[in-house]
Amino acid sequence: MDLIDRYRLNGSVPRAVRQPQTAEEVAEALREAARSGWAVVPWGSGAHQSIGYAPARYDLALDLTRLSRVLRHRPANLTIRVEAGIRLADLNAMLAEHDQWLPLDPPFGDQATIGGILATGLSGPLRARYGSARDLLIGLRVALADGTLIQGGGEVVKNVAGYDLPKLFHGALGTLGVIVEASFKLWPRPKAEATWAFSFSRAEDALPLTLSMLRHPGFPLAVEVLNARAWETLRGTLELPEDPGARIWVVVRAGGWPAQVERIGRDAVAAASEARGKDRLPEETASALWARMASVAILPTPAPTEALGVRLGLLPSQLTACAAALESTEEIPVIWRAHGTLGLIYAEGRGPMETLLRWAGELRSFTLAQGGHFTILGGLESAKRTLGLWAPLRPEVEVMRRIKAQLDPEGRLNPGRLGWA
Amino acid sequence: MKRAQALQELLEVFGPRGVLWEDHHLLLYEYDASIDKGRPDFVVLPTSTEEVVAAVRIANRYGLPVVVRGAGTGLSGGAVADQGGLMIVTTRMRRILEIDPVNLRAVVQPGVVNIAVSQAAAAHGLYFAPDPSSQKACTIGGNIAENSGGPHCLAYGVTTNHVLGLEVVLPDGEVIEVGGAACDWPGYDLTGLIVGSEGTLGIVTKAVLRLMPMPEAVVTLLAVFDTVDQASEAVSAIIADGTIPGAIEMMDHTAIQAVESAKRCGYPMDAGAVLLIDVEGLPEGLEDLARHIARICEHFDAREVRIATDPAERERLWSGRKGAFGAMGRLAPSYLVQDGVVPRDQLPRVLRQIQEIGRRYGLTIANVFHAGDGNLHPLILFDERDPELTRRAVEAGAEIIRACVEAGGTLTGEHGIGLEKRDLMPLLFSPVDLEVMARIKAAFNPENRLNPCKMFPSTRMCLETWSRRKARMEKPIRYRITPAPTDAEEELWI
Ligand SMILES: Cc1cc2nc3c(=O)[nH]c(=O)nc-3n(C[C@H](O)[C@H](O)[C@H](O)COP(=O)(O)OP(=O)(O)OC[C@H]3O[C@@H](n4cnc5c(N)ncnc54)[C@H](O)[C@@H]3O)c2cc1C
């Protein structure tokens, strides 16, 4: 396969690929692109290139995976500064030696690079305890569209000097600048861990458990809710408990000192009074499960043709109503998963596009009526165009547009990714 | 003439009880808790978003800069109207609009006092985690503008980690909503950008906050050391050990003297430094954890470690820390507090440097700070009435900040840049970094009407633009002690 084919995006290939090895080389590549008026798409692992609209123009693929160094780890300060192309998995393998970790577990986290995780703003189950990358990020170095290198934040855990630029670039889908370095606060690894799985006949039966975990002062590491179909996809390859009568599964991961872990488990079991099954998972099963969990109900890149992946942002208490809306059509086998204490729901439907569009359209109306937000995470470009990438579009978009115009006036970074930017 | 017209319009919207314009009233609004001063032309006290919009529109018609003020406890001059203009004070916007005990959210107006949120949530076993020492006075709007922290932010994060959404009045009077009660609103994270923007991007008129469950148990440790060195070594060791307590605060000998003479909290008067450490959460294993931390302190030669579980005793130990800034009055008429942050493993070295700087300038410096975060608060003691002492205090402060930056740290961890540190920004940021920030500001505040000249290095252009506009209204009343702007600077970030 041609090198250039690895960077195919929605059917098109770039004119050129650059694989810079340093921040300065990234800046140089961007200056060169600026001279030619080229549109640039930054690349990490490529695992999430299907998020957002396909870029309207695509001349240069800027592959950052050779920027993969750890620049400074201060174990006694619990901070690290890395280059953006480093893979999360490699970073955490290195940190494990110090009993520390960057507690992020985004979808396809085994491949994902730090830069890609930051740009997409995707999070995983551990977010229940540690927040998202947004909360752990303390500094950034970014190459702007014209090749200027700038920095925001720093390598200290508290910092209010100037605007909080790291927040702006987090989740901006590479439309404002190319992240070349990032600093994070780290966490000590929990001394002990345990995982429980609960099965329920109905979503409303699961709610007391998820809501009690939300307000649990022991802060469970993760509280994931899955529908039966999602659970079955996992059970295909893992030795998980079985319950043919279950519609909903809740998986609780507790971490901390051993006594705390046991206490959280006891409370979870007590709150799951309506559960059909309650199982403490063997350690190996649990760790295999958590390695897979974040990618459940997230479509791979490139997305299969007869599939659509969406994300809903609601309140944790709205999960019951949402479960009903998600599975309202018999025609589409829906797989869904939620961060139970956060109200973020990921769903994947498969079937003929017309039916999928109807399903997604109804979900969008439902979510907006509940005061939440709706995003298409994966699927065909035509589906995104038909439904609109995200909703609601509020007047704040005008401000976002002005920011884009200030930082990338020629609109050459990932043009059109967000629709308006 | 224009002034009379502007006043007339303000009175029409706010009525005589909602506008202040006479000198003896304005005098009360010419300062915050920093050392800069400047008198606004008018003060208005809105009660609703609509009134804020009306005020902004009137200010725009008369070319008045707008400065928002919460409780005025800011420590960097953010709420000081050094260019005059219209001051919008939020203290009458103090309604808690909603507490959602199921989803752990609160919706509040910006003038709500920090601790009032926790008090309202307490019935549900919940609280608002950011706990600045000024929490009985400062407002949520001020906390958001400064991205305030507090002792317990070590474990739970600062204000930005607890704000989910905002309603904001832009400088042209438009009202936008950013973020919301759900997580992760799509598009750019404007909420994250506005938090910490020091009132330069928009006026916060409503905030959606995240609440947290109260810990079931708290154990407070008081570790007493002979030297600051030993105490700061212990801090790095606790962090490196992988146990993150709820809070680790340090007070040095000078601070202990002040605190203990103001009120007896039981710190030994002859100690070189004390650490105040909270471990909290579930009761299970908590005392073991406390003893584990006590052993680390003893390993670094703590001569005594007291472990308090009784709420009254814990309260007493903490009361000294909470009243520490106020207690400085026992030692000197004024203090200048700096707010640099250093990597935690650099604490011993930088604290030694601070003492050395104090000696060199002939000034006493007390240290009371968020040691677990590496967030220093050297309190430089002086007398504001003495210009020479004041100059030395300001210079010593700048030198301390320089030492923090050289140690890999930053200018400010929670108090903000404001007027006080704006000319130190180039220590940390290159001209292009600053230009990007200026561009972001331009996306919100293109005509620089809102809190002009704050946060960015002062340029003649900024100061002159506003002085000219102001001259059209009346003679400027401004007295500042920060050095006059140099003319070599770029003129971009007005
Ligand atoms: C004794 C003492 C102890 C302190 N301890 C701490 C501490 O532990 N941690 C800490 O972080 N700080 C601390 N501070 C500093 C100060 O209390 C905080 O910065 C606080 O958040 C300021 O709130 P305020 O309501 O007084 O704001 P003000 O001082 O009135 O204003 C501060 C800034 O916020 C802006 N602002 C206010 N309201 C709004 C709004 N609605 N929209 C937009 N902008 C707005 C103003 O324009 C200004 O720039 C302390 C101060 C004192 C005096």
Side-chain angles (χ1 to χ4, degrees), chain A residues 319-375:
Chain A
L319 196 67
T320 315
C322 183
L326 282 161
E327 298 188 69
S328 61
T329 36
E330 296 282 300
E331 301 157 73
I332 299 177
V334 176
I335 291 180
W336 65 262
R337 175 177 60 94
H339 301 323
T341 55
L342 292 157
L344 285 173
I345 299 127
Y346 307 87
E348 161 194 325
R350 291 185 190 248
M353 195 42 72
E354 209 176 303
T355 330
L356 283 176
L357 287 175
R358 194 155 17 88
W359 167 73
E362 280 165 17
L363 269 181
R364 186 180 56 180
S365 314
F366 163 82
T367 312
L368 297 184
Q370 303 277 323
H373 57 80
F374 173 92
T375 307

Side-chain angles (χ1 to χ4, degrees), chain A residues 213-234:
Chain A
M213 290 294 104
L214 167 61
R215 52 175 307 143
H216 198 287
F219 306 114
L221 299 184
V223 182
E224 293 290 286
V225 184
L226 300 92
N227 72 344
R229 215 171 262 119
W231 186 255
E232 289 309 311
T233 61
L234 287 167

Side-chain angles (χ1 to χ4, degrees), chain A residues 158, chain B residues 32-33 67-80 88 90 110-111 131-135 137-151 194 197-200 202-205 321-322 325-326 335 339 370 377 413-416 418 450-451 454:
Chain A
K158 269 172 91 180
Chain B
D32 62 3
V67 177
V68 191
R69 175 183 157 112
T73 67
L75 288 165
S76 53
V80 172
I88 298 180
T90 62
D131 61 340
S133 306
S134 52
Q135 71 182 150
C138 64
T139 66
I140 293 295
N143 295 170
I144 289 172
E146 304 289 9
N147 190 11
S148 299
I194 292 168
S197 65
E198 304 192 13
T200 64
I203 303 170
V204 174
T205 47
R321 166 62 185 96
K322 288 188 177 151
F325 284 20
Y335 64 78
D339 178 40
H370 311 307
H377 283 347
E414 53 181 28
H415 297 166
L450 201 56
N451 227 359
K454 303 276 172 69

